[in-house]
Amino acid sequence: MLKVEGVGKSYRKGSLFSANKQHVLNNVSFVCKRGECLGIIGESGSGKSTLGRLLIGIEEPDQGTVLFEGKRIGERKERRGNISAVFQDYTSSMNPFYTVEQAIMEPLKLKNIPRKEASGKIDRLLHQVGLDSSYRTKYPHELSGGEAQRVCIARAVSTEPKCILLDESISSLDGSVQIQVLQLLKKLREIYGMGYIFITHDIQAAAYICDRIIFMRQGRIEETVSIAHLKDVQSAYARKLLHMIIP
Ligand SMILES: Nc1ncnc2c1ncn2[C@@H]1O[C@H](COP(=O)(O)OP(=O)(O)OP(=O)(O)O)[C@@H](O)[C@H]1O
Ligand SMILES: [Mg+2]
């Protein structure tokens, strides 16, 4: 479904005119199969979010390619409805002047889904993420963090994309709400069969939801491991992370 080949990305370091470059991603290659949940773990600054932006095509790699079902992801029309994203900061990813209904309606409108059909769909989606129809008319400031994140998830799922990028999507929620949202993501995946790219610091959350995990360090893939073989990771970095959950 998603094929990443030899991807590299650098950003200019320092001032606008500086020639110094910081290599954020180096020769990153992997595939994500249809319906797979692929975790990306790494410490702060290792390039996870940068990779996420390249995967959904909102930025272009300097080297290499990102292909979605054989086509370059940079094309807007390839992206639309195929891949969506949920970020950590749900408050800024929601328009404060949009009600929940308007927020979920937006991607459905872009896909030209008739209004009546979309309206029924919104009720169904809200129900699936554990909110009732009374939430339709609420504004973001009237929602708790967990509720707002559920609305963002409903919105990401609404067009039934083949893949959803989740970048630290549960990190700012408190413990019990994190578990609820993880369970919700698992359930939605059973209903819709989409794949997830799950970016996180939290190896426990990744172990709960992912089929495979990529360990990233300093812009490179250090190791990739399936959940069934998580205990057998080789690299020192992955072992260190793992020791935090299995002493
Ligand atoms: N648009 C940008 N311009 C310049 N530098 C950037 C830009 N985006 C990211 N960087 C730099 O690239 C490096 C990797 O950042 P990135 O956000 O991808 O890390 P991350 O793994 O997601 O970290 P975190 O876990 O803290 O979210 C950082 O050093 C960051 O400062
Ligand atoms: Mg990040």
Side-chain angles (χ1 to χ4, degrees), residues 5-12 21-28 46-47 49-55 58-64 66 216 218-220:
E5 267 179 327
V7 159
K9 182 82 185 168
S10 326
Y11 291 113
R12 195 180 285 114
K21 281 195 163 182
Q22 178 193 5
H23 293 278
V24 176
L25 292 174
N26 286 300
N27 196 21
V28 172
S46 58
S49 296
T50 304
L51 179 59
R53 290 194 298 275
L54 301 180
L55 294 183
I58 54 177
E59 267 184 60
E60 290 262 329
D62 298 334
Q63 293 90 33
V66 178
M216 278 194 66
Q218 297 172 351
R220 295 176 190 275

Side-chain angles (χ1 to χ4, degrees), residues 156-170:
V157 173
S158 66
T159 54
E160 298 180 24
K162 294 178 187 136
C163 184
I164 302 184
L165 171 77
L166 300 146
D167 188 351
E168 302 284 2
S169 302
I170 58 162

